[in-house]
């Protein structure tokens, strides 16, 4: 007769967390930051059809990294929850905090009770009437919620990207500067990201109702910082970015 | 937060989701108009023109022979490039518009792209069809749907019957108690490729003439400054006209009509004297 092995709960949780983290680290990262006109969400995403960033409600956006089918399922559940709440009560009653709590409950439940944790990290962002009312909720695979007020990084290399973001970020960045900071932080010193590697969306504070706006790939180059000129064809007035000293 | 297993998923259909969660109201089991005076919305028209479609609706709601609301709105944006106008029982009609707007937005968010104009028109047809049990108990809703078809580059309009029958009209459509009169005015004034101004004037004339003949249709309320809701739907999207512009156009129409009336002599009322002569 076989006896089940005893495994300490600490070990079980640690194994699950390692599993989830490994899954998330396989994908590419994402940065969300406040800027003077609202919230900018910038993801490294080579696909132009499978989205990481999308609209949930009038002033609320969703972003996810990790396993696509899992965060997409969470996204649709969020759209449903928000639309149902707005339908049953009022559009004003739909808020990011309540959605973030809902997500945290589900992720926490799955993490402790299911065979496999969800290999995702998600973001629920809401643009407020003023910069002080902007909300960024970063939710981890185990249901941990973090409330950020400047910027947040989701994904495998979050720490390194956040450190670069910390250097580039300052209060009251405009869209161009915020995008430059986010793209620079995502790319790191060794890489350059072009429009085709990026998915960018905004929550615009001044929008009348639906604040979510995708910046199409064709419109991105105009907003991105001028790439450092390739060695064989130097631009006359030199590279736009100072070389690393 | 609602989760479904893949085979059991309502997909991007918000109305189905509402039903699944038990939020959809039950249709009444007896004829409600027998016992209650139900508020009704009345006359709406939609006219195709060079750049798209004009939709217009008067502002009166009636309950039996009483006016229950002077400033009700019957023309709504359905999404960026389409609009819906309602006639019939006001309560279920408003509910239908709200659900329809959400349905389109929900689809767009879940699927990541909007429905085709045809798809939107069919969705509304299904909603009207779903309302048939309530319509049988006196709560009929008969909307108009119009939009700018971005794929074809033209305005299109649709009318419905209570069974959800969806009929695409090529030039104009009208619904509600004053639709016979309003429709006739539009029919006589319609020409291919009308300009925006001419089409708005035609809609205003149609609503004025409907109000002239139908007691349930409201005319312009100059005292309170309440004018019909008029919107254009073009490639740029749904846009509601300013009240000031509508007031100005109404003033011009009234001037023309008053000028016509000024010269006409009225058939004399049967006077007391004539009556006494006859005796």
């Amino acid at each position: 007769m076989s006896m089940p092995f005893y495994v300490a709960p600490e070990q079980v949780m640690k194994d699950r967390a390692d599993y989830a983290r490994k899954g998330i680290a396989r994908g590419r990262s994402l940065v969300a930051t406040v800027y003077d006109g609202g919230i900018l969400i910038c993801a490294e995403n080579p696909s132009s059809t499978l989205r990481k960033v999308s609209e949930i409600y009038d002033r609320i956006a969703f972003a996810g990294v990790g396993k696509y089918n899992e965060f997409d399922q969470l996204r649709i559940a969020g759209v449903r929850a928000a639309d149902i709440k707005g339908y049953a009560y009022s559009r004003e009653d739909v808020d990011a905090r309540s959605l973030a709590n809902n997500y945290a409950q589900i992720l926490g439940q799955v993490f402790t009770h299911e065979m496999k944790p969800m290999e995702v990290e998600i973001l629920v962002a809401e643009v407020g009437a003023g910069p002080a009312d902007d909300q960024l909720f970063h939710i981890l695979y185990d249901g941990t919620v973090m409330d950020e007020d400047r910027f947040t990084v989701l994904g495998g290399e979050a720490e390194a990207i956040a450190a670069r973001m910390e250097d580039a970020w300052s209060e009251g960045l405009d869209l161009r500067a915020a995008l430059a900071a986010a793209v620079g932080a995502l790319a790191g010193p060794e890489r350059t990201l072009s429009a085709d590697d990026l998915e960018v969306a905004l929550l615009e504070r001044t929008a009348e109702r639906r604040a979510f706006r995708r910046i199409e790939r064709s419109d991105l180059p105009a907003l991105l910082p001028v790439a450092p000129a390739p060695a064989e064809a130097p631009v006359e007035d030199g590279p736009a970015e100072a070389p690393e000293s | 937060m609602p989760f479904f297993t893949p085979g059991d998923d309502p997909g991007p259909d918000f109305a189905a989701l509402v039903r699944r969660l038990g939020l959809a109201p039950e249709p009444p089991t007896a004829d409600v108009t027998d016992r209650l005076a139900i508020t009704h919305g009345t006359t709406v028209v939609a006219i195709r023109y060079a750049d798209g479609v004009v939709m217009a609706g008067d502002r009166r709601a009636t309950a039996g022979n009483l006016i229950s609301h002077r400033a009700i709105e019957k023309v709504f944006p359905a999404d960026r490039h389409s609009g819906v106008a309602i006639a019939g029982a006001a309560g279920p009609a408003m509910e239908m518009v709200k659900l329809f707007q959400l349905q389109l937005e929900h689809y767009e968010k879940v699927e990541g792209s909007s429905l085709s104009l045809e798809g939107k028109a069919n969705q509304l047809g299904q909603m009207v069809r779903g309302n048939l049990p309530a319509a049988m108990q006196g709560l009929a809703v008969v909307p108009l749907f119009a939009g700018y078809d971005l794929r074809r580059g033209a305005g299109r309009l649709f009318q419905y019957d209570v069974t959800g029958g969806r009929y695409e009209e090529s030039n104009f459509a009208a619904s509600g108690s004053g639709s016979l009169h309003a429709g006739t005015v539009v029919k006589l004034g319609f020409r291919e490729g009308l300009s925006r101004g001419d089409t708005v004037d035609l809609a205003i004339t149609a609503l004025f003439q409907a109000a002239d003949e139908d007691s349930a249709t409201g005319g312009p309320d100059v005292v309170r400054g309440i004018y019909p809701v008029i919107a254009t739907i073009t490639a740029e999207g749904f846009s509601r006209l300013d009240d000031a512009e509508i007031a100005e156009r109404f003033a011009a129409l009234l001037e023309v009509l008053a000028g016509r009336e000024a010269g006409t002599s009225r058939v004399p009322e049967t006077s007391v004297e004539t009556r006494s002569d006859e005796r």
Side-chain angles (χ1 to χ4, degrees), chain B residues 41-58:
Chain B
T42 46
T43 310
V44 289
V45 295
I47 311 168
R48 188 174 59 79
Y49 74 108
D51 306 332
V53 183
V54 164
M55 288 188 110
D58 76 311

Side-chain angles (χ1 to χ4, degrees), chain A residues 76-98:
Chain A
I76 292 173
V79 171
R80 284 180 177 148
D83 276 349
I84 285 288
K85 194 173 180 189
Y87 172 73
Y89 302 102
S90 153
R91 294 198 85 90
E92 296 162 33
D93 298 318
V94 180
D95 63 337
R97 189 184 47 82
S98 154

